[in-house]
Amino acid sequence: MLVILWDPDTLLHQTVELLGSKLIPALESPERLEAILKALRSSKYELRTIEFASPQDDRRITRLLEFTSATHSPDYLQHLRDIFQTWLDAGLIKQDGHVLPECFVYPTTTGKPLRPPKDPFARAGYYAFDMSSGIMSDSYKAIVASANLASEGTDMLAGFANLPNDIDTAVALCRPPGHHCDGQRAGGYCYINNAALAVSTWRSGHPEAKVGILDIDFHHGNGTQEIFYADPRVLYVSIHGEDEFPYYTGAADETGNGDAEGTNINLPLKVGSSIEEYLEKLDYGQQKLVDFNPDFLIISLGFDTFHSDPLGHFQIHTEDYEIISRTTRHALKGIPTLVLLEGGYVIDQLGANMLSFLKGWNSG
Ligand code: OKP
Ligand code: ZN
């Protein structure tokens, strides 16, 4: 049985991005979550949904930050918390404005360590790798609420929090998503790597555990890959559009470093690929995960693999999500599983796609 987690504070983040040379409301919008909630509420399946309130008590916040700090640098987390107010105080934006970067970090031959720039305007670029990660007045609240869902879901599955014991799957309706954040910089609508936080949460009670991550968002999870690239106890498997965003990662020859060699598996697929081609890769990735025999499984779930997605380009339809989730569940049954929402931008089909996924999971 599965349980679904969400938090109304995640709706507060609503920023802008560039389309050509125009600023538009970011495609990663509150309406995405609202569409999924609407579908869940009117569904004929029996679904257990828990509404969370972002962490209020100091102990919970301290614990969340401690687990996040295992993979995110303290100065980056401080930046996320403070940059909006800093820009406001410096007169760079008004209350309804958005922090967007100007100048990014780039390779040099000096060998000198990079330091955060003093200029608050420049800092926005130091802590980001693209311009799809704006920060507005309530962003930090939503970022924390989203991350908290990943941690709460893990607590339940790990037995750190009370949960009816027939539940072995938690679906965290996170937004903003997480898989592009590498712990030092925001990008691709991601600010905290929710999957990495789930791993740290799980490890707080099971330090030796092996964790499998299956990333089925259309885009390569460069952040998750980066964070666990040298970690032999995390197997990262990603199926994603070849040569698509985030452009510089996701090739099949990125396989892990040192004794983690072989624990990073990228399965790039050509743009326009069909569900049959997709399922071949999925089958291969699932088998690798089965062989790894993880104690805990995380699925980074994006619905931007949908055929008409503005940011994704596979030929995958609503009924296919049922097949994808059923085969995954079937292959990896018995392993406690945290499903984290990543992308998916066809708002009026997101609800149906999520229901299709849940239906397949429950019958796998
Ligand atoms: C995030 B996730 C549109 C550019 C969008 C960012 C894509 C982020 C995808 N103006 N670039 O993996 O779904
Ligand atoms: Zn995506």
Side-chain angles (χ1 to χ4, degrees):
M1 276 283 284
L2 62 81
V3 65
I4 300 162
L5 318 180
W6 76 287
D7 183 327
D9 276 2
T10 64
L11 296 166
L12 296 172
H13 167 71
Q14 182 161 30
T15 186
V16 292
E17 67 179 322
L18 279 174
L19 179 66
S21 61
K22 282 210 169 62
L23 278 179
I24 58 160
L27 266 58
E28 199 293 287
S29 67
E31 289 74 31
R32 297 177 59 242
L33 180 61
E34 278 161 358
I36 292 175
L37 291 171
K38 191 173 159 213
L40 293 177
R41 287 187 184 118
S42 59
S43 151
K44 55 185 194 300
Y45 312 116
E46 229 189 276
L47 295 167
R48 214 174 311 184
T49 309
I50 305 181
E51 179 177 333
F52 276 84
S54 1
Q56 303 297 338
D57 71 288
D58 287 350
R59 260 190 42 228
R60 180 93 213 163
I61 295 172
T62 308
R63 184 170 178 273
L64 188 72
L65 282 176
E66 184 195 315
F67 293 164
T68 310
S69 306
T71 54
H72 296 65
S73 70
D75 58 316
Y76 171 65
L77 294 173
Q78 205 176 340
H79 163 82
L80 285 183
R81 191 191 62 198
D82 296 339
I83 193 65
F84 181 83
Q85 191 60 43
T86 306
W87 273 41
L88 200 61
D89 294 345
L92 290 166
I93 42 168
K94 300 210 178 71
Q95 186 60 37
D96 63 355
H98 304 258
V99 173
L100 278 179
E102 176 212 14
C103 186
F104 296 103
V105 172
Y106 46 87
T108 66
T109 51
T110 62
K112 292 199 174 126
L114 286 166
R115 286 201 190 80
K118 291 195 184 74
D119 186 322
F121 191 60
R123 273 209 292 277
Y126 182 81
Y127 290 113
F129 69 82
D130 74 359
M131 295 186 73
S132 298
S133 44
I135 296 177
M136 42 75 78
S137 58
D138 283 333
S139 292
Y140 187 68
K141 239 188 247 173
I143 292 163
V144 170
S146 178
N148 184 56
L149 292 175
S151 202
E152 292 275 7
T154 307
D155 277 349
M156 291 179 167
L157 296 167
F160 307 154
N162 289 332
L163 185 75
N165 52 18
D166 58 329
I167 293 206
D168 61 8
T169 306
V171 179
L173 300 180
C174 299
R175 88 162 282 273
H179 71 154
H180 295 303
C181 173
D182 65 2
Q184 319 273 339
R185 51 191 74 76
Y189 311 135
C190 301
Y191 305 84
I192 284 179
N193 193 303
N194 300 321
L197 171 58
V199 172
S200 306
T201 304
W202 186 273
R203 283 179 167 170
S204 70
H206 311 281
E208 302 299 319
K210 284 187 291 178
V211 184
I213 304 177
L214 175 64
D215 190 329
I216 52 173
D217 183 277
F218 176 82
H219 304 95
H220 181 240
N222 59 301
T224 312
Q225 164 170 303
E226 180 73 19
I227 289 171
F228 296 114
Y229 206 63
D231 189 332
R233 293 201 310 274
V234 173
L235 175 64
Y236 177 70
V237 177
S238 174
I239 308 172
H240 50 266
E242 188 169 46
D243 300 327
E244 290 283 308
F245 181 90
Y247 309 117
Y248 304 108
T249 59
D253 62 0
E254 295 158 13
T255 53
N257 269 349
D259 59 352
E261 170 61 45
T263 64
N264 194 87
I265 301 180
N266 285 329
L267 304 171
L269 251 186
K270 296 237 175 310
V271 157
S273 288
S274 65
I275 180 65
E276 289 76 20
E277 290 162 310
Y278 191 90
L279 290 175
E280 266 175 44
K281 299 277 183 206
L282 184 65
D283 188 63
Y284 179 86
Q286 280 168 356
Q287 199 48 53
K288 294 290 178 189
L289 283 160
V290 170
D291 295 345
F292 187 70
N293 191 25
D295 305 288
F296 177 41
L297 176 68
I298 298 168
I299 299 181
S300 273
L301 171 63
F303 291 109
D304 40 11
T305 50
F306 191 61
H307 64 93
S308 58
D309 197 279
L311 298 181
H313 314 284
F314 290 153
Q315 290 304 316
I316 290 183
H317 295 76
T318 299
E319 58 276 18
D320 298 329
Y321 292 109
E322 191 180 329
I323 304 170
I324 289 170
S325 65
R326 183 180 298 124
T327 65
T328 305
R329 172 62 160 175
H330 189 75
L332 294 153
K333 203 157 186 167
I335 304 171
T337 302
L338 177 70
V339 179
L340 299 173
L341 184 63
E342 302 284 355
Y345 307 97
V346 184
I347 289 171
D348 64 359
Q349 296 300 316
L350 268 179
N353 291 342
M354 178 58 94
L355 288 179
S356 175
F357 183 92
L358 296 175
K359 189 176 169 206
W361 190 267
N362 278 332
S363 63

